[in-house]
């Protein structure tokens, strides 16, 4: 028996690589293994202040120069910071955890469901089938039908893309849209969100049929109880009370107050997309929370949520490119996300980050 064991040990040892004195191999880096042949996917991440939170005096017409620059970049698809209809359908199936998230981030498709008779998943499938056979020159009726499916599928920004592609005389009821849904679409056109004033406008003018909702809130979770929620809020607010956060707010407020011309709006976007603002965002927000000293580690939990959310957003953006490799994808997202999304997407083999410096250069 001992001879058999010795024999097996000898054979095993023969398959162990000999020790090498050579330098250790560097850790595998996905970012260093980029596509070698063919057109690589390009992603431009445009960080934006949330337009709905700007002073009421802000005139969305001053986005004209920015939108013209984005059109010049010629994106093949546009992704936005919004929850998809299917994700909201999932969240609604789990109200014990996501009740607050649903209330804050999910558009209610109930009216569109009543009109079309389709729930979110059925409407999503029908919209996908319709787009798969979409003609080069769709009729107004086809666009109204697709808009109704996007509404029933919980994708109001994509419905607006169809609405904007219609001549004004064709923006009327019919083909799945009743008067109430027409009123919803017309009202949403007046909203000041970047999903409307930037993404949907640029998508329609670029000849796109939709935008892609890429936000993710599945990492949201309620506090254990009211006391814990209060303690969490107090800890995070204390972490945010620091010079970097104050400086960032002063700069943002000044830029927003000065945004009274298209050139000034470009200057605001240059600042929000610059490395200095990203560093201030980290030091004043996520970096400060990371070092927050509460025994329950509230700050570290907050950063875990933030990183998880951005990783899932990055994966949703990456998924957009699966259908047509070699795309140019514009991502319109809150400015705090920009550096994180760029860092995560930069790791991917078939993605190149297109910077915003040239696009946001000072107006002539």
């Amino acid at each position: 028996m001992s001879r058999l064991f010795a024999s097996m040990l000898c054979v095993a040892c023969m398959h162990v690589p000999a020790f090498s004195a050579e330098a250790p191999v560097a850790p595998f880096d996905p970012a260093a293994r980029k596509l070698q042949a063919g057109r690589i996917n390009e992603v431009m991440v445009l960080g934006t202040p949330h337009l709905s939170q700007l002073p009421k005096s802000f005139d969305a017409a001053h986005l004209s120069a920015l939108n013209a620059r984005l059109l010049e970049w010629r994106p093949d698809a546009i992704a936005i910071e919004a929850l998809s209809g299917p994700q909201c359908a999932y969240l609604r199936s789990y109200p014990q955890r996501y009740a607050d998230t649903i209330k804050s981030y999910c558009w209610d498709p109930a009216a569109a469901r009543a009109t079309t008779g389709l729930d979110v998943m059925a409407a999503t499938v029908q919209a996908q089938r319709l787009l798969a056979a979409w003609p080069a020159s769709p009729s107004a009726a086809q666009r109204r039908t697709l808009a109704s499916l996007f509404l029933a599928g919980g994708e109001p920004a994509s419905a607006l893309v169809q609405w904007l592609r219609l001549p004004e005389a064709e923006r009327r009821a019919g083909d799945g849209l009743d008067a109430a849904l027409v009123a919803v679409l017309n009202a949403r056109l007046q909203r000041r969100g970047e999903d409307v004033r930037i993404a949907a406008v640029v998508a329609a003018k670029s000849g796109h049929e939709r935008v892609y909702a890429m936000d993710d809130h599945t990492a949201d979770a309620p506090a254990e109880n009211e006391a814990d929620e209060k303690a969490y809020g107090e800890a995070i607010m204390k972490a945010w009370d620091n010079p970097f956060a104050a400086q960032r707010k002063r700069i943002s407020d000044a830029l927003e107050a000065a945004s009274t011309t298209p050139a000034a709006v470009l200057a605001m976007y240059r600042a929000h997309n610059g490395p200095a603002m990203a560093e201030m965002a980290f030091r004043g927000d996520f970096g400060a929370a990371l070092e927050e000293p509460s025994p329950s580690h509230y700050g570290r939990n907050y950063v875990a949520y933030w990183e998880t959310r951005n990783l899932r957003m990055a994966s949703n953006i990456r998924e957009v490119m699966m259908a047509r490799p070699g795309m140019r994808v514009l991502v319109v997202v809150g400015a705090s996300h920009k550096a994180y999304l760029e860092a995560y997407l930069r790791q991917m083999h078939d993605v190149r980050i297109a910077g915003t410096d040239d696009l946001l250069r000072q107006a002539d």
Side-chain angles (χ1 to χ4, degrees), residues 136-153:
S137 300
S139 67
Q142 286 173 311
R143 292 203 181 280
R144 285 191 291 270
T145 297
L146 185 54
S148 74
L149 293 174
F150 279 137
L151 289 175

Side-chain angles (χ1 to χ4, degrees), residues 119-340:
D119 64 16
V120 167
M121 298 311 180
T124 299
V125 169
Q126 286 207 23
Q128 290 170 345
R129 288 174 178 167
L130 194 59
L131 285 170
W134 199 243
S137 300
S139 67
Q142 286 173 311
R143 292 203 181 280
R144 285 191 291 270
T145 297
L146 185 54
S148 74
L149 293 174
F150 279 137
L151 289 175
E155 305 279 350
S158 288
L160 284 181
V161 174
Q162 289 302 312
W163 205 236
L164 286 167
R165 296 204 62 185
L166 283 166
E168 286 194 32
E170 295 288 355
R171 295 177 192 171
R172 57 174 177 78
D175 308 295
L177 295 173
D178 61 9
L181 293 181
V182 168
V184 166
L185 287 165
N186 287 332
R188 290 189 75 85
L189 278 182
Q190 306 308 313
R191 288 163 55 97
R192 296 202 308 164
E194 55 273 13
D195 59 335
V196 177
R197 300 294 185 165
I198 299 175
V201 168
V202 174
K205 290 183 177 180
S206 298
H208 300 178
E209 306 301 346
R210 62 168 304 166
V211 293
Y212 294 85
M214 59 81 193
D215 199 359
D216 189 288
H217 275 271
T218 52
D220 291 10
E224 293 288 334
N225 50 59
E226 288 186 12
D228 192 52
E229 183 176 1
K230 183 173 183 292
Y232 177 95
E234 290 174 349
I236 299 301
M237 292 301 293
K238 185 176 180 180
W240 286 346
D241 185 11
N242 63 70
F244 297 103
Q247 181 185 14
R248 185 184 181 211
K249 186 177 187 308
R250 284 195 300 271
I251 293 172
S252 296
D253 288 349
L255 287 166
E256 292 162 8
S259 295
T260 56
T261 66
V265 168
L266 274 177
M268 176 177 72
Y269 275 86
R270 271 199 307 279
H272 279 299
N273 284 269
M277 199 70 90
E279 184 66 21
M280 274 188 278
F282 171 75
R283 290 178 176 270
D285 190 338
F286 316 110
L290 191 64
E291 305 299 335
E292 179 275 315
S294 65
S296 296
H297 306 297
Y298 292 123
R300 291 172 69 178
N301 290 338
Y302 164 70
V303 172
Y305 149 79
W306 177 252
E307 291 181 326
T308 301
R309 182 181 171 196
N310 281 282
L311 283 163
R312 291 174 179 167
M313 292 168 84
S315 69
N316 290 336
I317 295 165
R318 182 66 181 95
E319 185 180 354
V320 172
M321 307 168 216
M322 288 176 62
R324 289 186 293 141
M327 297 175 71
R328 281 188 158 193
V329 179
L330 171 65
V331 178
V332 181
V333 69
S336 295
H337 294 278
K338 176 184 169 75
Y340 287 86

